[in-house]
Amino acid sequence: MMMILGIDVGGTHTDAVLIENLEIKKKTKAITNEKNLIDSLLNVMTELLRGENIAKLKRVVLSTTISTNAIVQDKTERVSLILVSGPGISPSLIDTHGMAHFVSGCINHRGIEVAKIDPIEIEWLGEELKRDSIQDAGVVGKFSTRNPNHELKIRDILGSRLRHISLGHRMSGHLNFPRRISTTFLNAAIWKLYNDFVTQVLDSLRHWGLSVPTYILKADGGTIDISHSVEIPVQTILSGPAASIMGILSLCEAKEDAIALDIGGTTTDIAILADGIPLLEAFGVTINGHKTLIRGLQTKSIGIGGDSRVTFADNRITIGPEREGPAAAFGGPFPTPTDALIVSGMTAIGDREKAALAITEIARKMDVPVTKAAEAIIDCTCREISSHVIRMIDEINNKPVYTIHEMLEGKKLCPRSLYIVGGPARAFSSKLGSMLGCPVSIPEHAEVANAIGAALARTTAEITLLADTERRTLSIGEEGIQIKIPPGFSRRDATLVGTKKLRELAIQKGAREEDLEIEIIEDQEFNMIREFHTTGKNIRLKLQVKPGLIAGYTTGKVL
Amino acid sequence: MKKTRKTGLVFFPAFDWAISSTHPEREERLLYTQDQVFEEGLLDFDNIIEYKPGIATIEDINRVHICIPDVTSVVTESHLISAGGAITAAEKVMRKEVDNAFALVRPPGHHAMLVVHGARGFCNVNIESIMIEYIRKHYGPKRIAVVDTDCHHGDGTQDIYWNDPNTLCISMHQDGRTLYPGSGFHEELGGPNAVGTTVNIPLPPRSSDEGFLYVLDNVILPILEEFKPDLVINSAGQDNHYTDPITNMRFTAQGYARLNEKLSPDIAVLEGGYSIENALPYVNVGIILAMAGLDYSHVREPDYNEAAVRQSAEISRYIEKEAAKIYDLWKNRESIRRNLIGNSRYVKRKKHIYYDTDGIREQQEETVRVCNDCGGLVVIDSFADTGNRILAIIIPGQSCPACRKEGELFYASIHKNQYSYVYFQDRDSDVFLADKGS
Ligand SMILES: [Zn+2]
Ligand SMILES: [Zn+2]
């Protein structure tokens, strides 16, 4: 049986698990050394592999905050953006990160070139970038997913002068020029840092004598072979929340609509499962205020956690959103929900005296006994969390749809179970369960759920296919594929081509044959009518290998 | 820096509905508009909020139309969602969740008249009117102005509000002598109790931005200023565009955005527009940006050529004269009314209506009670070549006691077996009765 190592280097903690024979053989949790993530990684790895026969190790999966941290802490490279915008939205309304050069050229919504780029203009720009000692750049065109030729031509002209060029159409098949710009910018900005990180990881593994498939976890809860991750490092941002959801999936038997909560010290992350499958963000994830096109699991992070500061003013209790330190029971400066749990006897951790002292302060203001105040704080915390959950479900159910069929027959989410992980999970569970009307499960090994999630996540991939039989072209936006098709090309043909390409792509990114669960997520076909005659078909498909666990680790059945 | 506004967007392209397989009102119609709106990233602006449309009810439609024999026979789900989308847009504005809203929905509705035997001009039911009567039912009586900027005369909306002095219907469109439905001349001013609250502005073929904006500045805005509506609705048809395949005008995306900015409607509702690749994507981006108070100055068609869309000096002169005449008619509406009514107690009008989409012909006689206190009791006797002959008695919104009394007595006294159906519509108490006759 194979042995799998999963590591999640999170912002605060680094979790690691060693899985063998469908069991957690070893697990560990350490404080992350923010200054040196590689160190954190190697330490837990050393700990878990000590005394093991590493020949049995068949798979290593890492989830790290390296990309997220670089962006959030602004430790990124200087980058230039070259934008082929054409008419439309005003440049003043686009967040160009102050680094943009708008150049001539225009592609329209059908992917037809309306205005050419000017090679001389690009040459001049290249000289300017050189003078400014710019080494990394992003090239982004409006509608470049419909026709990447402008981006490719600009790269060919500038390629020799720069270290790396990120191309907009490679980031995602979705339409959204401003997001494509942000995504490409972030990708270019972390490219160097991430590549150095991967080189170090690969060196360390070699040093260990390990040559097993090694993966990195992405924001969509899927993995990618580490050496293939270097071209688009930005897809590894926000892998932490994704790891947590995948962890819940691997520890629980979720086949139905469900709510997954990860209650931490500072925040609570909410995710929703539809028939046991985590939902993806419609366009892409948002990081540090930047809206991107990065495919990611839909999570909502709210500023309520075990260590949130509790205040009482204007006759009401407020939980968070800030965390001013640990709970009072652990020497923190202010009362917190954790202190309330300790006072109520719902958890037996920390210094009970200190907790009681902190809660007394709130009780005095409320003019009630300490136990009543503690109860009120717990109640308020749970009520806040549930109301956010309910709002999130409402938003998902009220998401606009564009066909009469979906209007009348569309699926309505109706969660039947609640899964909770995180420190205060057990203490809050019964109250949250009754408020949300769901039975609650608290999985075993929840404290290392992230590492388990990473260890067992399968490789995911997505493609966006557009066949235009009037123009006789088929394009797969994010892969830059453009091929000629015959006029009689059908939706069935498109599905076959799409499935084949997705399969190839997923295998290339590290997927195993047995994990290729392919699903069509968008499927539209339009008759193109010009002057009362049908002139062609516009076929639009989106296919994915959906997020899930590798074969043999069916949801909740193992570990 | 302009002041931004919070704009609600109800986008419902009905990607699975068409009138017929090669009809211009088809699945593909808003496909490229969706592409452009998505690609420009408009839905990511904090002040542009997308809403899912609601579904209009049978009652919402019976409040406005007389559908023959009944609502379910003349509408499909698509019409209920399109009207529901307009209602959702109105709800968001009325509840002050947004400053203004745009219902980018299909199918359109502005050719649907009060009596509905079938579909005409791609329209079955009038989605703006359904929305307006919904607003009045739920938010009280309101003075409402509809400014129809579709290239075709908004004859359906005109027909529905012909006798309503509280609804100002302004339509600017390509001259009816050169385009469907062949009506909308400046002498069409409204019924005996609502003279002047129907305003028609026919424009000659090949009118451009300059002409549209001239009548906006010199006719529409001054009349709105005097009418003082509580709400301004824009029937935002987009078939005035220079690339539209079924019309002959030269309006541009910039022109549409500028018109929207100046008119500043509370609610805009999409009507026609069939240049689905070369106009709609750009016009809609322009309108959305203008409504949200965002910079639209870079929006233009990729093939835009200023010289090619300029209007001739002759057209400019013609439009100036026409505008002056129309504004005069508005100014003199009281004396025109006195002349029209004379001593009569009732005013009749006869109409022949052709339902081009469904190929139905209707003969109609409308009788209005002359009244100084309300829009007046309306009785419609209609016969269609489907074989249906109907009678409809309509008590207007904010009706006076005399009109109401007379309507109720009349309804009680009719011999129903002369008709296929007899309808009684009471807009104030939201009562709709339908009796099967012979
Ligand atoms: Zn029209
Ligand atoms: Zn009256």
Side-chain angles (χ1 to χ4, degrees):
Chain A
M1 213 40 208
M2 71 170 176
M3 197 155 84
I4 303 172
L5 177 64
I7 303 175
D8 173 52
V9 185
T12 330
H13 290 108
T14 296
D15 308 347
V17 288
L18 191 64
I19 297 172
E20 190 181 18
N21 296 336
L22 301 175
E23 273 175 14
I24 307 269
K25 188 176 189 195
K26 286 185 187 167
K27 58 183 176 183
T28 186
K29 202 172 179 75
I31 301 289
T32 301
N33 174 2
E34 260 195 71
K35 301 261 153 17
N36 194 339
L37 298 181
I38 285 276
D39 249 19
S40 301
L41 202 122
L42 293 181
N43 287 343
V44 291
M45 203 161 146
T46 312
E47 188 185 333
L48 289 196
L49 291 181
R50 186 176 300 132
E52 296 295 335
N53 173 8
I54 58 168
K56 285 200 280 181
L57 192 63
K58 292 289 183 285
R59 172 182 163 93
V60 175
V61 187
L62 312 174
S63 156
T64 95
T65 51
I66 178 106
S67 307
T68 309
N69 282 357
I71 292 167
V72 174
Q73 296 161 7
D74 229 357
K75 288 178 186 154
T76 52
E77 299 292 318
R78 278 177 66 222
V79 164
S80 231
L81 283 173
I82 296 120
L83 306 178
V84 191
S85 164
I89 196 157
S90 159
S92 67
L93 294 173
I94 299 175
D95 178 10
T96 55
H97 307 267
M99 312 284 199
H101 302 270
F102 284 87
V103 299
S104 48
C106 174
I107 303 270
N108 77 4
H109 50 79
R110 278 189 69 194
I112 298 167
E113 180 181 69
V114 182
K116 291 190 183 323
I117 56 162
D118 174 3
I120 312 268
E121 183 186 9
I122 308 296
E123 291 280 357
W124 276 98
L125 184 56
E127 290 310 308
E128 192 183 325
L129 299 185
K130 216 162 143 188
R131 275 198 304 277
D132 292 348
S133 325
I134 295 283
Q135 299 198 67
D136 298 286
V139 179
V140 190
K142 192 178 283 179
F143 286 114
S144 64
T145 51
R146 293 278 160 90
N147 176 352
N149 289 340
H150 285 172
E151 286 183 3
L152 296 172
K153 276 183 192 152
I154 294 173
R155 181 199 56 191
D156 290 347
I157 297 172
L158 296 179
S160 59
R161 298 187 178 84
L162 295 162
R163 178 168 58 199
H164 183 259
I165 299 178
S166 299
L167 299 180
H169 72 275
R170 304 286 304 185
M171 301 296 135
S172 158
H174 277 293
L175 294 178
N176 192 316
F177 183 53
R179 281 185 185 242
R180 190 174 308 123
I181 293 171
S182 275
T183 311
T184 312
F185 168 78
L186 294 175
N187 195 64
I190 61 171
W191 186 85
K192 169 77 168 52
L193 183 88
Y194 184 83
N195 272 259
D196 292 349
F197 170 79
V198 168
T199 307
Q200 276 180 291
V201 170
L202 290 174
D203 283 351
S204 311
L205 290 177
R206 212 167 298 126
H207 175 79
W208 272 85
L210 282 174
S211 63
V212 297
T214 303
Y215 299 88
I216 288 277
L217 191 73
K218 301 180 294 169
D220 70 351
T223 54
I224 180 168
D225 186 281
I226 191 165
S227 15
H228 276 95
S229 70
V230 296
E231 190 56 28
I232 310 182
V234 73
Q235 59 190 338
T236 68
I237 57 170
L238 300 180
S239 66
S244 147
I245 296 168
M246 297 316 289
I248 290 176
L249 273 189
S250 50
L251 295 169
C252 302
E253 200 175 348
K255 291 257 179 289
E256 66 295 322
D257 291 353
I259 303 159
L261 297 180
D262 182 350
I263 308 177
T266 319
T267 58
T268 294
D269 291 339
I270 310 167
I272 308 291
L273 310 179
D275 300 322
I277 309 292
L279 295 176
L280 292 163
E281 285 286 358
F283 286 101
V285 298
T286 299
I287 180 166
N288 218 23
H290 304 300
K291 290 176 174 165
T292 77
L293 285 175
I294 296 305
R295 191 179 132 100
L297 299 187
Q298 189 174 14
T299 54
K300 184 168 162 185
S301 189
I302 56 173
I304 296 175
D307 300 341
S308 295
R309 181 179 174 181
V310 176
T311 51
F312 184 85
D314 299 329
N315 222 14
R316 54 184 291 248
I317 297 171
T318 306
I319 317 286
E322 55 292 304
R323 174 187 188 269
E324 308 278 1
F330 292 92
F334 296 109
T336 67
T338 299
D339 296 313
L341 290 171
I342 294 167
V343 168
S344 309
M346 291 169 84
T347 185
I349 50 172
D351 184 333
R352 197 169 191 286
E353 295 284 301
K354 286 186 185 163
L357 199 67
I359 301 297
T360 308
E361 183 196 317
I362 301 284
R364 214 178 33 242
K365 285 187 195 159
M366 291 175 73
D367 198 19
V368 295
V370 179
T371 49
K372 277 263 178 281
E375 227 171 83
I377 292 167
I378 295 165
D379 204 66
C380 181
T381 308
C382 292
R383 221 165 338 109
E384 286 281 326
I385 294 174
S386 340
S387 77
H388 280 285
V389 170
I390 290 164
R391 213 174 312 152
M392 184 169 173
I393 294 168
D394 274 353
E395 278 166 19
I396 294 167
N397 280 335
N398 287 312
K399 204 180 74 171
V401 295
Y402 299 141
T403 59
I404 291 164
H405 178 79
E406 288 169 284
M407 263 307 276
L408 303 176
E409 326 265 337
K411 175 182 165 62
K412 277 251 179 280
L413 273 177
C414 184
R416 306 227 175 271
S417 330
L418 171 61
Y419 299 103
I420 315 181
V421 297
R426 195 161 299 280
F428 283 137
S429 63
S430 64
K431 194 150 250 172
L432 283 171
S434 72
M435 282 179 179
L436 291 165
C438 296
V440 187
S441 304
I442 297 165
E444 215 187 323
H445 307 300
E447 76 284 6
V448 288
N450 287 21
I452 298 171
L456 302 182
R458 69 161 75 115
T459 299
T460 55
E462 180 182 276
I463 57 164
T464 312
L465 181 151
L466 172 66
D468 183 333
T469 68
E470 191 191 63
R471 292 185 62 211
R472 301 192 187 178
T473 57
L474 179 150
S475 61
I476 297 178
E478 54 274 72
E479 290 305 301
I481 294 174
Q482 292 213 295
I483 46 182
K484 283 277 159 219
I485 50 170
F489 194 81
S490 69
R491 188 175 186 161
R492 208 183 112 76
D493 298 331
T495 310
L496 289 174
V497 171
T499 309
K500 182 164 171 283
K501 291 286 177 196
L502 179 60
R503 191 171 270 279
E504 286 168 10
L505 179 70
I507 298 278
Q508 185 203 339
K509 287 185 172 177
R512 303 177 310 164
E513 238 353 289
E514 60 266 41
D515 295 330
L516 289 175
E517 206 178 323
I518 289 179
E519 175 187 51
I520 299 177
I521 43 179
E522 270 176 46
D523 184 0
Q524 294 177 306
E525 177 181 3
F526 296 89
N527 286 327
M528 304 181 71
I529 295 155
R530 302 295 175 267
E531 321 271 323
F532 290 92
H533 294 290
T534 305
T535 56
K537 281 190 191 307
N538 197 296
I539 301 165
R540 296 168 172 212
L541 298 178
K542 211 179 246 301
L543 297 95
Q544 70 162 344
V545 176
K546 61 182 170 187
L549 307 176
I550 52 173
Y553 292 83
T554 346
T555 306
K557 288 281 197 251
V558 292
L559 306 172
Chain B
M1 192 61 193
K2 291 184 220 173
K3 192 178 163 346
T4 61
R5 284 180 294 263
K6 211 168 174 186
T7 294
L9 180 67
V10 180
F11 181 56
F12 191 73
F15 282 147
D16 50 355
W17 186 84
I19 287 183
S20 68
S21 64
T22 56
H23 198 282
E25 187 47 58
R26 61 194 186 269
E27 295 95 339
E28 186 198 6
R29 188 170 161 226
L30 292 175
L31 183 63
Y32 311 104
T33 294
Q34 173 192 263
D35 287 349
Q36 197 76 34
V37 167
F38 281 12
E39 179 69 354
E40 301 287 5
L42 297 189
L43 301 179
D44 279 334
F45 283 97
D46 292 334
N47 62 319
I48 298 177
I49 303 155
E50 190 187 7
Y51 296 101
K52 186 180 186 174
I55 302 180
T57 62
I58 305 289
E59 292 74 41
D60 292 331
I61 293 171
N62 279 335
R63 205 175 282 134
V64 173
H65 288 290
I66 306 291
C67 294
I68 296 162
D70 52 30
V71 172
T72 46
S73 309
V74 296
V75 305
T76 64
E77 282 98 352
S78 64
H79 303 104
L80 296 176
I81 300 171
S82 188
I87 288 174
T88 302
E91 278 280 0
K92 301 299 169 188
V93 172
M94 297 311 291
R95 290 195 200 149
K96 300 199 164 29
E97 286 177 42
V98 294
D99 298 314
N100 56 27
F102 183 17
L104 191 42
V105 295
R106 59 177 282 269
H110 76 146
H111 295 305
M113 296 187 167
L114 201 152
V115 174
V116 182
H117 285 277
R120 57 189 303 276
F122 318 165
C123 304
N124 293 52
V125 289
N126 194 301
I127 59 179
E128 286 91 337
S129 303
I130 294 167
M131 171 186 84
I132 289 170
E133 295 314 313
Y134 178 95
I135 293 172
R136 287 178 169 151
K137 158 80 180 151
H138 294 273
Y139 298 92
K142 296 257 179 280
R143 279 171 80 73
I144 293 179
V146 180
V147 180
D148 187 323
T149 51
D150 189 277
C151 195
H152 300 91
H153 174 220
D155 57 345
T157 318
Q158 166 171 315
D159 182 65
I160 291 167
Y161 292 112
W162 185 252
N163 296 303
D164 181 358
N166 294 311
T167 307
L168 173 66
C169 281
I170 303 178
S171 177
M172 65 160 145
H173 45 260
Q174 183 175 327
D175 194 318
R177 287 168 297 190
T178 62
L179 190 69
Y180 179 89
S183 55
F185 301 103
H186 61 233
E187 58 271 21
E188 297 165 36
L189 294 169
N193 308 319
V195 174
T197 55
T198 292
V199 178
N200 279 297
I201 311 168
L203 296 173
R206 294 182 296 284
S207 297
S208 67
D209 291 4
E210 189 194 332
F212 284 92
L213 296 169
Y214 183 87
V215 296
L216 181 72
D217 287 335
N218 293 281
V219 182
I220 297 175
L221 294 178
I223 292 178
L224 285 174
E225 179 92 357
E226 292 168 48
F227 182 75
K228 297 196 182 5
D230 300 312
L231 286 169
V232 175
I233 317 286
N234 180 206
S235 291
Q238 305 176 359
D239 38 12
N240 291 307
H241 193 264
Y242 66 87
T243 60
D244 197 275
I246 61 177
T247 64
N248 317 92
M249 301 301 247
R250 290 180 172 178
F251 211 28
T252 70
Q254 266 299 310
Y256 272 105
R258 205 122 44 87
L259 179 139
N260 184 284
E261 182 179 44
K262 286 184 160 204
L263 182 62
S264 191
D266 298 286
I267 304 159
V269 180
L270 175 68
E271 281 294 338
Y274 301 95
S275 174
I276 65 170
E277 272 192 57
N278 300 318
L280 267 60
Y282 311 106
V283 171
N284 282 308
V285 166
I287 291 177
I288 294 167
L289 287 172
M291 287 190 84
L294 297 166
D295 181 1
Y296 59 79
S297 62
H298 291 252
V299 176
R300 63 177 166 74
E301 303 77 356
D303 67 347
Y304 175 78
N305 173 349
E306 205 207 325
V309 296
R310 210 175 291 141
Q311 75 189 24
S312 67
E314 188 191 346
I315 288 177
S316 302
R317 271 197 307 279
Y318 178 88
I319 291 176
E320 282 167 31
K321 260 200 251 159
E322 186 74 8
K325 186 175 287 167
I326 294 163
Y327 189 63
D328 260 5
L329 287 167
W330 162 259
K331 278 293 184 197
N332 297 322
R333 60 194 184 280
E334 286 303 327
S335 67
I336 296 169
R337 176 173 191 243
R338 280 192 298 275
N339 288 336
L340 174 79
I341 299 169
N343 293 322
S344 38
R345 290 184 52 222
Y346 297 91
V347 172
K348 282 187 192 300
R349 84 173 158 145
K350 279 194 167 38
K351 287 185 288 182
H352 301 275
I353 298 158
Y354 180 57
Y355 294 74
D356 59 309
T357 308
D358 280 351
I360 298 169
R361 282 176 201 282
E362 177 195 2
Q363 312 256 26
Q364 203 188 92
E365 185 177 77
E366 176 192 271
T367 308
V368 183
R369 180 180 186 270
V370 174
C371 181
N372 289 319
D373 304 318
C374 77
L377 170 68
V378 175
V379 176
I380 295 172
D381 189 331
S382 151
F383 176 75
D385 58 7
T386 54
N388 281 322
R389 170 144 189 231
I390 66 105
L391 185 78
I393 298 154
I394 299 160
I395 315 252
Q398 295 176 266
S399 56
C400 72
C403 286
R404 163 169 300 280
K405 187 96 193 282
E406 191 170 325
E408 286 168 354
L409 286 174
F410 184 63
Y411 177 59
S413 72
I414 343 160
H415 297 290
K416 292 187 176 129
N417 51 17
Q418 283 176 262
Y419 302 97
S420 320
Y421 300 91
V422 173
Y423 300 91
F424 179 77
Q425 185 183 59
D426 179 346
R427 292 192 176 160
D428 277 333
S429 49
D430 206 24
V431 164
F432 183 82
L433 305 172
D435 304 300
K436 196 161 167 36
S438 56

